[in-house]
Amino acid sequence: MVMAGGTVRAEQVGATRELILTAAERLFAERGVYAVSNRQVSEAAGQGNNAAVGYHFGTKADLVRAIIRKHAAPVEEIRTRLLAATGDSTDVRDWVGCLVRPVPEHLGALGSPTWYARFCAQVMTDPALRPIMVEESLSSPSLRQILDGLERCLPELPAEVRAERGDMVRHLILHMSAERERALAEGARTPRANWHDAATGLVDAVVGMWLAPVTSGS
Amino acid sequence: MVMAGGTVRAEQVGATRELILTAAERLFAERGVYAVSNRQVSEAAGQGNNAAVGYHFGTKADLVRAIIRKHAAPVEEIRTRLLAATGDSTDVRDWVGCLVRPVPEHLGALGSPTWYARFCAQVMTDPALRPIMVEESLSSPSLRQILDGLERCLPELPAEVRAERGDMVRHLILHMSAERERALAEGARTPRANWHDAATGLVDAVVGMWLAPVTSGS
């Protein structure tokens, strides 16, 4: 009986945490991470206790980290699946696909509307929150494998240009996803019909970028 | 005497406004646009009156707009100069240079450290402030000329892909500039020795991106 009671309690806590995470992500995306208080998140999550966010997550930084972690697992799963299909390919496009597709594919699987991309774009540009995101993303082992795969395809590309273009791809995935997400939320026109095609547009562009000749410095 | 007095007064007001704009830009870049209060900006600008920001600029949104306008003029000047040198070129690289170089060249001319790129990255990803930035940048007539020039070079590129890649370039310029600015401020390593070379790295990548073949949708 004690065990069963414990399980029910754990399930309730899990459900409450989930409600808070969803409400927070939506409010942060729509109104801004800093414009929204923990109290407003608690209310939007239907919690009678306005301190629910603090009780379940701690500070706003802790809440931000929890939202990131919630999405990290499914994104990593997609990336691992794409990596397995890529094997030891020497085609740049295959590796670029592994790099670019996981986030848009994850957003597509969530169903419309999504809020995560707009949330992430804010976190990545905020001086105080950015380190949380950087820390959480660097922990992906599959990401390292993809960058190694790209290096094997183009061994002549100077290391600093590889690093530079790697940064460019990261920005493109994040901010183009946020832009598409915003357009969908606002009912605006988008250049592509779905997330898969939007990812294809990104893959086309990134392959061109990765293969572009390098002008030496001044 | 009244006129002379008026001029002195106008100069003082101009100097105070300038002090406030500089302090705000720095604090916003380093701590976050929302984390910093108008009161803190007034103090950092050396104003005895803590309401100085409100008196001279109004709300935080007005202050954000004033910072953007301060930089818009020199950026537009660089863009116009590059456009004049490009003439009626049919080389994609010339037009991409007009598109990519103005912001990094402006940041380079400001001398280290700069704060504007990190400030802009926050503004562009914030749901409440973003419309200000969009409104201010769309008012650039030279930007339209460049996009038309690119269209003349590549008339076969579908309009929606052109729009999509135009968005990509916008994100790359802004976020790669913010990343380099942050690295310089933190004394971290950067892939390029100076802003001109950083822009060249971007031009190389963007030309490759613009010329990339288009895969048709699913």
Side-chain angles (χ1 to χ4, degrees):
Chain A
M1 287 302 277
V2 171
M3 275 181 69
T7 307
V8 170
R9 167 85 187 122
E11 273 171 16
Q12 283 171 341
V13 167
T16 302
R17 287 176 58 99
E18 192 59 33
L19 282 171
I20 293 173
L21 287 178
T22 306
E25 191 180 286
R26 176 169 56 79
L27 290 179
F28 290 166
E30 290 177 350
R31 302 196 209 154
V33 173
Y34 277 102
V36 174
S37 66
N38 280 359
R39 185 193 178 93
Q40 288 171 311
V41 172
S42 299
E43 277 170 15
Q47 300 303 304
N49 180 358
N50 281 330
V53 167
Y55 174 76
H56 285 281
F57 292 98
T59 65
K60 181 167 275 186
D62 296 325
L63 179 57
V64 163
R65 190 185 295 273
I67 296 172
I68 296 169
R69 287 203 177 152
K70 178 184 155 183
H71 291 275
V75 169
E76 183 70 18
E77 227 169 86
I78 298 168
R79 205 184 282 122
T80 308
R81 171 167 53 74
L82 293 173
L83 253 178
T86 297
D88 55 357
S89 167
T90 51
D91 184 347
V92 168
R93 190 173 178 94
D94 289 338
W95 294 101
V96 167
C98 293
L99 202 56
V100 164
R101 292 198 180 273
V103 168
E105 194 174 305
H106 171 59
L107 291 167
L110 291 174
S112 207
T114 59
W115 302 282
Y116 185 54
R118 285 170 288 170
F119 160 79
C120 286
Q122 290 177 59
V123 172
M124 272 307 275
T125 55
D126 183 84
L129 299 175
R130 182 186 156 82
I132 301 175
M133 187 72 135
V134 171
E135 207 180 293
E136 294 295 323
S137 357
L138 283 182
S139 64
S140 159
S142 58
L143 212 52
R144 187 66 260 164
Q145 277 179 264
I146 298 171
L147 295 171
D148 289 347
L150 273 169
E151 185 174 347
R152 284 194 303 277
C153 295
L154 287 165
E156 71 282 8
L157 200 65
E160 69 274 14
V161 175
R162 225 164 31 228
E164 188 179 62
R165 294 184 181 175
D167 287 344
M168 292 181 196
V169 181
R170 207 164 31 74
H171 291 302
L172 284 178
I173 297 167
L174 176 56
H175 296 288
M176 289 298 285
S177 296
E179 185 139 327
R180 179 175 164 80
E181 185 180 272
R182 187 182 309 109
L184 290 175
E186 292 171 354
R189 278 197 71 234
T190 55
R192 304 278 177 162
N194 55 54
W195 282 101
H196 181 82
D197 289 357
T200 301
L202 261 177
V203 169
D204 285 349
V206 169
V207 168
M209 200 179 96
W210 212 277
L211 296 174
V214 176
T215 307
S216 53
S218 62
Chain B
M1 285 303 279
V2 170
M3 275 182 68
T7 307
V8 169
R9 167 81 186 126
E11 274 172 15
Q12 282 170 342
V13 167
T16 302
R17 285 177 59 99
E18 192 59 34
L19 283 172
I20 292 172
L21 287 178
T22 307
E25 189 179 288
R26 177 167 56 77
L27 290 179
F28 290 165
E30 291 176 348
R31 300 194 210 157
V33 173
Y34 278 102
V36 173
S37 65
N38 281 359
R39 186 193 176 95
Q40 287 171 313
V41 171
S42 298
E43 278 171 13
Q47 300 303 304
N49 180 358
N50 281 332
V53 167
Y55 175 75
H56 285 281
F57 293 97
T59 65
K60 182 168 277 186
D62 296 325
L63 179 56
V64 163
R65 188 184 296 272
I67 296 173
I68 295 169
R69 287 205 175 151
K70 178 183 155 183
H71 291 275
V75 169
E76 183 70 18
E77 226 169 86
I78 298 168
R79 204 184 283 123
T80 308
R81 173 167 50 74
L82 293 173
L83 254 178
T86 296
D88 55 357
S89 168
T90 51
D91 185 347
V92 169
R93 190 173 178 95
D94 289 338
W95 294 102
V96 167
C98 293
L99 201 56
V100 165
R101 290 196 180 276
V103 169
E105 193 174 307
H106 172 58
L107 291 167
L110 291 173
S112 209
T114 60
W115 303 283
Y116 186 54
R118 284 169 289 170
F119 160 79
C120 286
Q122 289 176 59
V123 172
M124 272 307 274
T125 55
D126 183 85
L129 299 174
R130 181 186 156 83
I132 301 174
M133 188 72 133
V134 171
E135 205 179 294
E136 293 294 325
S137 356
L138 284 183
S139 64
S140 158
S142 58
L143 212 51
R144 187 65 261 164
Q145 278 181 266
I146 297 170
L147 294 172
D148 289 346
L150 273 170
E151 186 174 347
R152 284 195 302 277
C153 295
L154 287 164
E156 71 282 6
L157 200 64
E160 68 274 16
V161 174
R162 224 164 33 228
E164 188 178 63
R165 292 184 182 175
D167 287 344
M168 291 182 197
V169 180
R170 207 164 32 75
H171 290 304
L172 284 178
I173 296 167
L174 176 56
H175 297 289
M176 289 299 285
S177 295
E179 184 139 326
R180 180 175 163 81
E181 184 181 273
R182 187 182 309 110
L184 290 174
E186 292 171 353
R189 280 195 71 234
T190 55
R192 303 279 178 163
N194 55 55
W195 282 101
H196 181 83
D197 289 356
T200 302
L202 261 177
V203 169
D204 285 349
V206 169
V207 169
M209 200 177 95
W210 213 276
L211 296 174
V214 176
T215 308
S216 55
S218 60

